Amino acid sequence: MENSKINKPKSSEELKSKPSLNFIELIIEEDLKNNKNEGRIHTRFPPEPNGYLHIGHAKSICLNFGLAQKYNGLCNLRFDDTNPVKEEVEYIDSIIEDIKWLGFDWEDRLFYASDYFDQLYEWAIKLIKNGKAYIDDQDVEAIGEQRGTPTKPGINSPYRNRSIEENLDLFKRMKNGDFADGEKILRAKIDMASPNMHLRDPAVYRIKHADHHRTGSKWCIYPMYDFAHGESDYIEKITHSICTLEFEVHRPLYDWFLDQIIEGNYRPRQIEFARLNLSYTIMSKRKLLELVEEKHVSGWDDPRLPTISGLRRRGYTPESIRNFSDRIGIAKRNNIIDVAMLEHSVREDLNKKALRRMAVLDPVKLVITNFPEDKTEYLEAVNNPEDENAGKRKVPFSKEIYIERSDFMEDPPRKFFRLSHGKEVRLRYAYIIKCENVIKNNDGEIIEIQCTYDPETKSGTGTTQRKVKGTIHYVSAKHAIKVEVRLYDRLFINENPDITEDGKDFKSNINPDSLKVIEGFVEPELKNAKPLEHFQFERQGYFCVDKDSTDNRLIFNRTVLLRDSWAKKNK
Ligand code: ATP
Ligand code: MG
């Protein structure tokens, strides 16, 4: 990475200040002013269906669809399906689902590069007829050896000056399946001495005897990305073809291919921006596939992955991802964004939306000795202090409750304001209790805390409004629902997982504690919670119901803690 400086979350002041135009918007506004392409703005998002989309793709989706929205233009979805070998229908379906979920709509403009194979073939013939392409009989190694280096010019292929007739004939035979994979290749005739390696007679069409998920066995030759991409942009009348920085050096080739076919005034323009990199995260599709195939994670939608389906399952909302994408802006140089910014975005969104509930994740029993045996009180609790419309609910309260083990300490430090011997604490929405005694098992582990409560201190209505320093949450034991809770942490221990000790690969940086599965208790209000519903478990974090939940067993995923605990850890 050029620049490994990590961008830390912005202060709320910085976040509120109105962003100025980014460099792509400046280009677009200039084009609009000049009425370039008749004032049309048309972008596209061009995924290759060889994996699931990740947060980096989400950035590109928000950018392309966002610009179209902002400038009253259009954005197409185009599958870049020119490589039949690595592409699968499962990926296409997931990509469609993910973009819709993010909240974007391509209307009737869903295209496939493979829709254009006939046209692309015609244009390849045009290249040959104009003396701009030739068939090379050499294999990939020989061609590679002749390419030279950035400082040393390449060598012309011995086949470079074949006659147009011979080239046309061989190309047709390539198409008809007369040759094996790699036996011949169609190359553009540009300049073997160009300082830009991409212009040294790049490949245009290669032979691949493989069925394609859309065109079946119709073709055994397939166009190369550089050729197919720009010409597809042209077919779709794209005005601004936005891609990531590594394609900057391909731009002269993009333009060269367009020059060979263009008629009239309309012309697409390629613009590059820095791809999104996130700390503690890998974004390469190949590496994500490796994690999935080698079962380091449960699948493409494992909540620890940066895939859109993983983030969705983890409890991220479309708004939180869109806000994040806006916030990080568009850069011209590669950088790494602190993953804490993504976590901040989901926290901020869920704070507004998530209903508050009480859940005890590491329970210890607490008995209120002076509370009537069979009595259940229903206490009024606020569903979301950030949202008046969220209303209220009733929380049951009885003699036996569970509290969080960490909310009690036998030998507390001075500033421990939770429960300890002889000390008082408030139970949320309920009463002040005082610890009188603890019962331990033979191993010295506390199995029961005994308290008394002060009936005069009921929240809101109590006659004595005594104040105590601490308030803790709980669930009534006999009303509690036992649930599975999956506590996720970052998948990698290293800010940049690609940096490893000598000879080890990125997987040596996997965090062995990235998933902890526990059983906890939640309040009965959660009984009918449905997959993907979000909640804040008070004092703990944001959680959502996992899709593996059944009527008999609720499973929650932890989306994010209430505060950034890694920032503290790293201090
Ligand atoms: P590869 O081409 O190596 O399989 P890719 O991540 O480039 O991987 P594509 O399906 O080609 O995958 O990407 C679709 C679009 O998303 C492209 O326009 C690409 O530039 C953009 N994109 C991919 N990764 C990122 C990223 N990390 N940040 C921003 N945009 C990205
Ligand atoms: Mg790509």
Side-chain angles (χ1 to χ4, degrees):
M1 227 145 282
E2 269 175 54
N3 175 359
S4 60
K5 191 175 147 282
I6 295 192
N7 293 336
K8 300 289 176 195
K10 296 197 167 87
S11 70
S12 51
E13 279 313 300
E14 280 177 275
L15 296 177
K16 268 182 227 147
S17 67
K18 212 170 170 262
S20 51
L21 296 182
N22 64 48
F23 78 95
I24 301 181
E25 291 168 334
L26 289 172
I27 292 173
I28 289 182
E29 299 210 350
E30 182 68 21
D31 289 346
L32 285 173
K33 213 167 69 194
N34 297 330
N35 202 35
K36 193 179 170 195
N37 300 321
E38 280 107 37
R40 288 185 308 110
I41 301 300
H42 203 150
T43 57
R44 84 287 171 264
F45 175 66
E48 184 179 352
N50 61 350
Y52 278 57
L53 296 182
H54 54 58
I55 183 75
H57 295 118
K59 169 78 216 174
S60 176
I61 293 165
C62 292
L63 176 61
N64 279 295
F65 282 93
L67 287 170
Q69 276 170 1
K70 177 166 180 181
Y71 292 104
N72 221 347
L74 301 170
C75 180
N76 295 357
L77 171 58
R78 182 200 312 150
F79 285 104
D80 217 324
D81 57 350
T82 51
N83 183 355
V85 182
K86 285 194 198 152
E87 297 164 357
E88 284 175 32
V89 177
E90 177 198 344
Y91 297 140
I92 291 185
D93 295 342
S94 76
I95 289 170
I96 287 178
E97 183 188 355
D98 288 349
I99 304 175
K100 280 191 184 152
W101 177 77
L102 277 176
F104 296 107
D105 184 3
W106 49 88
E107 297 168 325
D108 56 353
R109 295 178 313 281
L110 166 60
F111 301 117
Y112 294 82
S114 57
D115 295 342
Y116 312 137
F117 281 170
D118 285 303
Q119 174 68 74
L120 293 170
Y121 178 75
E122 290 307 319
W123 277 332
I125 295 208
K126 183 173 177 185
L127 287 182
I128 297 173
K129 284 187 175 160
N130 291 338
K132 297 295 177 74
Y134 61 95
I135 304 287
D136 200 328
D137 292 1
Q138 302 178 102
D139 59 20
V140 183
E141 286 79 45
I143 292 175
E145 277 161 26
Q146 292 163 359
R147 271 186 87 218
T149 67
T151 50
K152 199 178 116 216
I155 300 166
N156 284 350
S157 161
Y159 300 96
R160 200 170 196 262
N161 291 321
R162 271 187 158 139
S163 71
I164 289 173
E165 290 66 39
E166 190 183 3
N167 280 321
L168 281 175
D169 175 60
L170 287 172
F171 190 48
K172 274 182 196 138
R173 289 175 57 201
M174 264 171 73
K175 174 181 182 258
N176 292 340
D178 289 358
F179 307 112
D181 288 9
E183 216 181 311
K184 300 238 179 312
I185 193 159
L186 180 70
R187 296 177 72 183
K189 195 169 180 176
I190 309 180
D191 180 5
M192 287 305 289
S194 170
N196 184 331
M197 299 288 287
H198 295 281
L199 295 180
R200 294 187 185 175
D201 291 9
V204 183
Y205 259 93
R206 67 200 149 157
I207 303 171
K208 229 173 223 219
H209 287 271
D211 280 3
H212 186 279
H213 65 100
R214 286 181 63 85
T215 57
S217 58
K218 177 172 175 191
W219 299 91
C220 63
I221 55 171
Y222 291 95
M224 302 301 290
Y225 173 87
D226 281 315
F227 176 61
H229 197 82
E231 316 303 65
S232 300
D233 283 343
Y234 187 71
I235 294 171
E236 293 178 16
K237 299 206 160 44
I238 300 304
T239 56
H240 298 82
S241 180
I242 300 166
C243 59
T244 43
L245 274 185
E246 63 279 20
F247 287 99
E248 192 171 8
V249 283
H250 295 241
R251 195 190 330 134
L253 182 55
Y254 178 94
D255 285 328
W256 188 90
F257 278 129
L258 283 174
D259 287 340
Q260 311 312 311
I261 59 162
I262 228 156
E263 289 163 14
N265 287 328
Y266 151 68
R267 183 180 185 105
R269 169 173 178 185
Q270 177 181 304
I271 302 169
E272 309 86 17
F273 74 105
R275 64 171 49 233
L276 167 64
N277 299 300
L278 271 185
S279 61
Y280 296 97
T281 311
I282 54 143
M283 218 90 90
S284 141
K285 277 196 237 173
R286 181 180 59 75
K287 289 179 184 166
L288 290 171
L289 180 66
E290 216 171 300
L291 292 175
V292 172
E293 284 187 336
E294 294 175 14
K295 302 210 181 325
H296 297 285
V297 293
S298 65
W300 281 101
D301 67 348
D302 187 297
R304 289 166 293 181
L305 289 182
T307 53
I308 297 179
S309 49
L311 291 168
R312 174 167 62 234
R313 191 169 172 192
R314 175 84 171 245
Y316 276 73
T317 56
E319 293 76 10
S320 65
I321 295 176
R322 295 202 304 259
N323 290 343
F324 168 74
S325 172
D326 279 353
R327 194 165 279 171
I328 57 176
I330 308 294
K332 275 188 187 178
R333 301 232 3 225
N334 280 324
N335 59 8
I336 305 176
I337 303 286
D338 191 335
V339 70
M341 281 181 80
L342 180 63
E343 294 164 350
H344 169 80
S345 286
V346 74
R347 228 177 251 130
E348 177 187 59
D349 192 41
L350 291 178
N351 182 43
K352 288 183 271 174
K353 294 177 182 160
L355 299 178
R356 274 53 170 174
R357 296 290 181 258
M358 290 202 281
V360 175
L361 302 184
D362 183 15
V364 60
K365 197 197 295 183
L366 186 151
V367 178
I368 302 164
T369 49
N370 60 337
F371 198 87
E373 194 73 41
D374 298 322
K375 184 173 169 183
T376 298
E377 263 194 68
Y378 287 90
L379 306 164
E380 193 167 73
V382 182
N383 279 329
N384 184 354
E386 303 290 320
D387 176 7
E388 280 177 19
N389 299 326
K392 294 179 174 171
R393 70 187 186 284
K394 297 284 188 191
V395 174
F397 184 73
S398 63
K399 187 181 181 79
E400 287 193 6
I401 63 177
Y402 294 114
I403 68 162
E404 217 64 61
R405 199 166 272 282
S406 58
D407 280 338
F408 176 83
M409 272 184 103
E410 283 199 282
D411 295 308
R414 226 162 47 86
K415 289 211 163 159
F416 186 78
F417 298 124
R418 291 166 273 167
L419 199 58
S420 55
H421 271 295
K423 290 281 164 56
E424 287 189 325
V425 79
R426 174 172 287 285
L427 292 173
R428 183 90 158 130
Y429 303 119
Y431 300 93
I432 293 175
I433 55 168
K434 182 176 178 184
C435 174
E436 311 282 358
N437 191 24
V438 296
I439 300 174
K440 295 182 181 176
N441 65 13
N442 292 338
D443 299 328
E445 190 191 7
I446 296 172
I447 51 169
E448 186 178 312
I449 301 168
Q450 296 183 333
C451 294
T452 51
Y453 86 117
D454 177 352
E456 301 300 309
T457 56
K458 186 163 169 180
S459 283
T461 61
T463 43
T464 17
Q465 285 304 328
R466 282 201 289 126
K467 285 232 157 64
V468 285
K469 282 239 165 105
T471 299
I472 63 171
H473 65 273
Y474 58 89
V475 288
S476 164
K478 70 175 163 210
H479 303 93
I481 310 172
K482 196 186 244 184
V483 298
E484 177 178 323
V485 184
R486 299 176 181 171
L487 303 175
Y488 294 103
D489 203 342
R490 292 175 185 170
L491 186 54
F492 293 96
I493 46 173
N494 198 323
E495 244 172 26
N496 187 342
D498 283 319
I499 297 176
T500 54
E501 282 171 38
D502 286 349
K504 293 194 176 156
D505 81 347
F506 75 100
K507 285 175 285 180
S508 65
N509 281 326
I510 290 181
N511 174 7
D513 301 317
S514 64
L515 170 60
K516 206 170 134 199
V517 181
I518 58 167
E519 279 200 327
F521 292 107
V522 300
E523 60 173 276
E525 188 74 20
L526 284 166
K527 191 173 72 196
N528 296 317
K530 295 280 168 301
L532 291 188
E533 277 182 359
H534 307 279
F535 299 96
Q536 185 196 93
F537 290 171
E538 294 204 23
R539 301 174 62 224
Q540 320 242 29
Y542 293 98
F543 291 75
C544 78
V545 182
D546 191 76
K547 63 168 194 188
D548 288 348
S549 285
T550 61
D551 287 345
N552 302 321
R553 182 154 182 86
L554 268 174
I555 303 172
F556 286 93
N557 293 321
R558 183 170 70 199
T559 309
V560 70
L561 289 165
L562 289 181
R563 259 165 240 99
D564 182 359
S565 65
W566 281 68
K568 247 191 268 159
K569 248 193 242 179
N570 290 342
K571 258 188 198 147

